[in-house]
Amino acid sequence: FKATPRNHGAVLSWNSAGTGVEYMLSVNGGTPKAVTSPHTVTGLANAKVHRFTLTARNAAGSSTGQATTQADLAYPRKVFRNQYNNQTNTIIRSHPTGAGQAGRIPQGEYIDVTVICQVRGDSVTEEESGRTSDIWNRVETKYANGYLSDTLVTTTKGAFPSNGLYECEM
């Protein structure tokens, strides 16, 4: 019984015993429901560990043993570079609204930025590139930790969340 984590969920898989066997899945101690392998669980909170219990049953009844596994939906932190930092300092924001200043990356400096997760916030347009986005990256940098608009980080654009990142739990 195996759980592969993903943003807000997990893909569960196991070896089926064959015809006539039904599997009952309980998520975090909840009410069991009938499932087949593989089964995708969605709607889970990121940044938490989730537990899964699987019980087999057939016409003779339920098995006495249960298979258990868990999925840790910890944020898959990834390193990118900042971008478009030639006209002015890049402000690291305190919130994904563009408000507050946690720190700044000096003008002309390009550094590794650890992206922890992504969240939708206020839409901003980056002056140097003209790009607009409402996606914010929660980041750790050598200058400060906070939020950078996705226009200022070299993530792949067009998906939310991108690059195998998870959505931030706010």
Side-chain angles (χ1 to χ4, degrees):
F1 186 32
K2 178 182 168 187
T4 304
R6 59 184 247 169
N7 183 48
H8 287 299
V11 176
L12 307 176
S13 59
W14 60 93
N15 292 328
S16 177
T19 306
V21 178
E22 182 178 47
Y23 295 92
M24 300 300 290
L25 174 69
S26 174
V27 179
N28 295 321
T31 303
K33 73 174 195 173
V35 296
T36 57
S37 179
H39 179 74
T40 300
V41 177
T42 60
L44 301 176
N46 288 330
K48 291 186 175 192
V49 175
H50 298 277
R51 300 187 190 316
F52 308 98
T53 304
L54 192 66
T55 305
R57 70 180 187 185
N58 61 19
S62 294
S63 64
T64 56
Q66 296 178 326
T68 60
T69 192
Q70 64 183 31
D72 185 352
L73 300 189
Y75 298 127
R77 304 155 74 91
K78 299 194 177 204
V79 177
F80 299 92
R81 303 280 288 177
N82 65 308
Q83 63 183 2
Y84 304 118
N85 192 25
N86 293 319
Q87 293 180 344
T88 185
N89 297 326
T90 294
I91 305 300
I92 301 167
R93 299 295 179 182
S94 303
H95 305 281
T97 59
Q101 181 175 329
R104 61 190 173 100
I105 301 170
Q107 178 181 350
E109 191 168 330
Y110 293 89
I111 63 170
D112 286 342
V113 173
T114 300
V115 176
I116 300 165
C117 55
Q118 292 184 318
V119 63
R120 290 203 183 271
D122 288 359
S123 183
V124 296
T125 300
E126 196 285 311
E127 291 181 27
E128 188 175 333
S129 69
R131 292 184 176 173
T132 300
S133 180
D134 67 347
I135 298 171
W136 291 81
N137 298 287
R138 190 168 122 202
V139 299
E140 291 178 346
T141 74
K142 67 182 183 180
Y143 294 109
N145 302 336
Y147 292 88
L148 284 175
S149 167
D150 203 44
T151 61
L152 298 171
V153 181
T154 60
T155 58
T156 303
K157 312 302 184 230
F160 176 77
S162 65
N163 297 92
L165 294 163
Y166 289 180
E167 183 177 4
C168 301
E169 293 293 328
M170 299 304 286

